[in-house]
């Protein structure tokens, strides 16, 4: 009897292993196209870019190995570090206001009726589906010095016209506003989904204790959303510091390089320099900067999963 029971268990285990192997094999076949596309369009270009970053290479001659020269040229270029610093300033001008506004909007959505909430969600998401190039043209018309809507409104209030995208003191802020407008839609909807997922029993218990909206937000909503907020902080930082279309179309990096963000700086070098290795080295160094900042944020912000 004992040997028969052992034999039955062995047979059951073999059938389970056979089914598991078959399921794994099917999964691998489904993953194969994705892995192939990832290798062709991401992994191989990244490896080849790393190779070219050590070459003196252009479209008109064969690569010539120069070692670390491209990287030292980039790291000793004050214009590159000025663009990176300007990118961090742009992040500070866009990400915190966008998160605060999206949080307030999401709080409004979850507090109103279902029909009105649907209207609000559709209205806030509309900017997300608009091309950044179209948005740039719209805001250029709004910022126009002589006939723009914004200066017309300021003139109505008795304020002199301002050269929003022609003055280095205002140009970066003028680009930050449409960046916030473009990013608020998806950020708000993610926050709405996170707020809806919070158990209502928490708020009911807090209400019985006499907690007001601020106390509920500080002690329930924000702690329950900390993983979502961390995700939005990292993705917002990466998207903001890599902003490209808005400064390209609205100001082309001017005036006086006041809107020359890192990606536009790299693109201009790639377009104008004979040696493409410099641009590739700058892009790889920018990747290191982004990875380092993201790792620091993950290190100092507690991102453990909450348990209801």
């Amino acid at each position: 009897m004992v040997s028969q029971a052992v034999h039955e268990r062995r047979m059951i285990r073999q059938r389970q292993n056979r089914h598991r192997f078959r399921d794994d094999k099917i999964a691998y076949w489904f993953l194969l196209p994705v892995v192939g596309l990832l290798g062709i369009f991401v992994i191989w270009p990244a490896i080849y870019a790393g190779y070219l970053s050590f070459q003196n290479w252009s479209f008109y001659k064969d690569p010539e190995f120069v070692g670390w020269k491209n990287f030292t040229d980039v790291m000793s270029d004050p214009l590159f570090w000025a663009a990176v610093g300007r990118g961090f300033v742009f992040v500070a001008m866009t990400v915190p206001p966008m998160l605060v506004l999206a949080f307030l909007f999401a709080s409004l959505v979850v507090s109103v009726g279902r029909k009105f909430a649907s209207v609000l969600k559709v209205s806030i998401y509309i900017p997300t589906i608009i091309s950044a190039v179209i948005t740039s043209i719209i805001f250029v018309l709004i910022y126009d010095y002589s006939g723009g809507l914004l200066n017309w409104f300021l003139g109505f209030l008795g304020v002199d016209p301002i050269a929003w995208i022609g003055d280095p003191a205002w140009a970066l802020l003028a680009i930050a506003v449409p960046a916030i407008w473009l990013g608020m839609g998806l950020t708000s909807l993610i926050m709405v989904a996170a707020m809806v997922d919070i158990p209502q029993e928490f708020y009911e218990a807090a209400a019985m204790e006499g907690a007001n909206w601020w106390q509920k937000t500080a002690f329930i909503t924000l702690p329950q959303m900390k993983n979502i907020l961390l995700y939005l902080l990292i993705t917002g930082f990466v998207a903001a510091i890599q902003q490209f279309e808005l400064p390209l179309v609205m100001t082309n990096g001017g005036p006086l390089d006041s809107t020359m963000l890192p990606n536009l700086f790299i693109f201009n070098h790639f377009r104008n320099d004979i040696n493409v290795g410099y641009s590739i080295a700058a892009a790889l160094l920018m990747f290191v900067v982004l990875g380092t900042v993201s790792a620091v944020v993950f290190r100092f912000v507690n991102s453990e999963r909450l348990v209801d």
Side-chain angles (χ1 to χ4, degrees):
M1 291 294 294
V2 176
S3 61
Q4 183 178 359
V6 172
H7 178 70
E8 290 178 354
R9 285 199 297 268
R10 186 180 299 114
M11 294 297 296
I12 292 173
R13 190 180 301 110
Q14 289 177 353
R15 285 197 298 269
Q16 290 176 344
N17 291 335
R18 185 164 57 250
H19 289 304
R20 185 181 299 112
F21 175 76
R22 184 178 63 185
D23 293 341
D24 292 344
K25 190 175 181 180
I26 294 174
Y28 290 142
W29 277 110
F30 275 109
L31 287 173
L32 184 60
V34 178
V35 174
L37 292 175
L38 187 67
I40 295 173
F41 294 105
V42 178
I43 298 176
W44 169 244
I47 295 174
Y48 192 61
Y51 165 75
L52 291 179
S53 65
F54 295 98
Q55 311 289 325
N56 181 10
W57 175 78
S58 71
F59 294 102
Y60 309 104
K61 63 178 183 180
D62 294 332
E64 177 187 353
F65 182 76
V66 294
W68 294 94
K69 182 178 183 304
N70 291 324
F71 289 95
T72 56
D73 289 344
V74 175
M75 296 186 67
S76 61
D77 189 350
L79 296 179
F80 171 77
W81 294 112
V84 173
R86 202 173 296 115
F88 280 103
V89 173
F90 188 75
V91 169
M93 296 171 68
T94 55
V95 176
M98 182 178 64
L99 293 179
V100 172
L101 293 174
F103 182 83
L104 295 176
F105 184 86
S107 301
L108 174 63
V109 170
V110 298
S111 64
V112 299
R114 180 175 298 180
K115 291 184 178 180
F116 188 50
S118 300
V119 174
L120 290 177
K121 286 187 286 187
V122 171
S123 64
I124 195 63
Y125 191 72
I126 288 176
T128 306
I129 63 177
I130 299 177
S131 167
V133 175
I134 301 300
T135 302
S136 302
I137 296 173
I138 293 173
F139 274 85
V140 166
L141 297 176
I142 293 175
Y143 291 143
D144 187 69
Y145 182 81
S146 57
L149 181 62
L150 184 55
N151 278 335
W152 172 86
F153 180 74
L154 293 177
F156 182 77
L157 298 177
V159 180
D160 293 334
I162 299 175
W164 294 103
I165 56 178
D167 188 344
W170 294 102
L172 196 61
L173 177 62
I175 291 178
V177 172
I180 295 172
W181 187 66
L182 285 172
M184 260 198 65
L186 186 58
T187 304
S188 299
L189 293 185
I190 292 175
M191 287 193 178
V192 168
M195 290 182 182
V196 171
D197 196 46
I198 299 175
Q200 290 300 313
E201 291 81 2
F202 293 175
Y203 296 104
E204 294 172 359
M208 293 177 63
E209 296 294 330
N212 56 31
W213 183 85
W214 293 103
Q215 292 170 327
K216 293 177 183 177
T217 299
F219 296 104
I220 298 176
T221 307
L222 291 178
Q224 290 291 315
M225 291 179 59
K226 68 175 184 178
N227 291 326
I228 296 297
L229 294 175
L230 175 62
Y231 167 77
L232 293 175
L233 178 64
I234 295 296
T235 55
F237 162 76
V238 172
I241 203 170
Q242 294 188 99
Q243 180 58 246
F244 174 71
E245 295 94 339
L246 294 176
L248 175 65
V249 177
M250 295 180 68
T251 61
N252 197 26
L256 301 178
D257 288 343
S258 60
T259 59
M260 184 65 70
L261 298 182
N263 272 11
L264 183 57
F265 174 85
I266 295 171
F267 172 75
N268 285 339
H269 271 275
F270 180 81
R271 180 176 58 179
N272 298 325
D273 290 356
I274 297 179
N275 179 21
V276 183
Y278 177 97
S279 304
I280 298 175
L284 293 177
L285 286 175
M286 193 63 204
F287 173 78
V288 172
V289 171
L290 293 176
T292 302
V293 173
S294 300
V296 168
V297 173
F298 275 113
R299 173 66 178 83
F300 288 100
V301 178
N302 183 12
S303 61
E304 297 179 356
R305 288 185 62 86
L306 293 174
V307 179
D308 293 342

